[in-house]
Amino acid sequence: MSTMAFDFKKEYKEFYLPKNKPTIITVPKMNYIAVRGKGDPNDENGEYKAAIGLLYGIAFTIKMSKKGDHLIDGYFDYVVPPLEGFWWMEGREGIDYAHKEDFCWISVIRLPDFVTENDFLWAVNEATKKKKQDFSKAKFLTVEEGLCVQCMHIGSYDDEPATVETMHDYMGKQGYVLDISDKRLHHEIYLSDARKVAPEKLKTVIRHPIKAKGNPLEG
């Protein structure tokens, strides 16, 4: 009988399966397959849908490398981690859900730690050859999120502001302030397939970067 494939969601519940009440967490450095883009994620012909195809193309090329000639050092069998995204809007604090066309995003899928940047570049080349498609937009991205507040959001993406408000109330009471910048971004992890799950049942981890409240005298 084969052993079960390693599942990041189950092995690292603190990062992928938080409770639906806010918690403070320190997120270590992780590597991702990343595609950057702009525009409404719901646009059928938009950049976002194309980006998802690129991410999964690379993710499965790496996962299935065990069957080919390129043997990745330290490889173990695993379940491809969930789709995630970092989101912002240029020149605007926070997110205006009425104007999704203004979204900027980095769409990502986590890479197992054994995947080096060279392995990643091999996968981009391999996917390009096999699928006769351009995968050059896919990049190797390392992010160390550090101190964050996060919460499981259950329901439609458009209802996220209520969960975000709860998170911000909680972090304030714990002595933290929001620390979103061009380096530290609003982060979502998609645990449900929106094509198959009713909007009110969608599970999404929402994560915001925070820092300790400074000394009021220092401003």
Side-chain angles (χ1 to χ4, degrees):
M1 180 177 150
S2 66
T3 51
M4 293 289 288
F6 185 94
D7 188 339
F8 287 87
K9 295 190 298 298
K10 292 179 180 151
E11 303 291 338
Y12 296 109
K13 286 193 171 80
E14 68 271 32
F15 303 130
Y16 297 99
L17 298 168
K19 304 211 168 8
N20 52 356
K21 57 178 203 271
T23 49
I24 307 289
I25 187 164
T26 301
V27 186
K29 189 186 283 186
M30 297 183 194
N31 297 327
Y32 298 94
I33 310 163
V35 177
R36 291 170 183 267
K38 291 184 172 172
D40 186 340
N42 302 317
D43 180 353
E44 272 310 318
N45 302 312
E47 285 185 36
Y48 187 76
K49 291 270 196 305
I52 307 297
L54 296 176
L55 291 176
Y56 278 104
I58 302 294
F60 280 102
T61 300
I62 292 169
K63 178 179 160 64
M64 301 317 291
S65 64
K66 62 181 182 187
K67 299 201 155 145
D69 306 332
H70 183 91
L71 297 177
I72 297 176
D73 197 29
Y75 181 99
F76 54 76
D77 205 16
Y78 64 98
V79 177
V80 169
L83 179 69
E84 310 183 36
F86 295 96
W87 298 84
W88 71 98
M89 288 181 169
E90 297 288 352
R92 184 181 295 160
E93 270 201 21
I95 284 170
D96 177 359
Y97 287 82
H99 288 283
K100 295 194 175 92
E101 69 278 5
D102 294 341
F103 269 130
C104 298
W105 39 264
I106 309 169
S107 199
V108 301
I109 292 177
R110 184 178 176 178
L111 286 165
D113 291 345
F114 59 71
V115 178
T116 65
E117 192 158 1
N118 280 340
D119 294 320
F120 174 82
L121 294 171
W122 164 82
V124 170
N125 280 332
E126 184 73 0
T128 304
K129 278 194 312 215
K130 288 252 167 83
K131 298 182 191 297
K132 311 265 188 289
Q133 190 188 340
D134 181 6
F135 282 86
S136 60
K137 274 190 171 172
K139 305 293 181 201
F140 184 89
L141 177 70
T142 302
V143 181
E144 186 167 359
E145 282 184 281
L147 198 61
C148 294
V149 60
Q150 72 176 12
C151 188
M152 181 73 80
H153 169 72
I154 297 174
S156 158
Y157 303 129
D158 290 347
D159 295 338
E160 285 182 11
T163 299
V164 166
E165 197 176 321
T166 313
M167 287 162 56
H168 291 180
D169 285 349
Y170 175 81
M171 75 185 183
K173 289 182 179 135
Q174 302 296 317
Y176 296 100
V177 291
L178 195 61
D179 191 29
I180 285 183
S181 67
D182 56 359
K183 296 276 184 290
R184 305 188 76 205
L185 300 162
H186 170 106
H187 184 179
E188 299 181 2
I189 303 173
Y190 307 105
L191 299 173
S192 310
D193 184 338
R195 295 165 306 180
K196 298 176 185 163
V197 176
E200 66 274 11
K201 294 193 172 144
L202 290 171
K203 286 185 170 177
T204 309
V205 180
I206 303 178
R207 193 180 286 162
H208 276 181
I210 58 174
K211 60 184 178 183
K213 274 186 191 147
N215 182 329
L217 298 174
E218 291 169 359

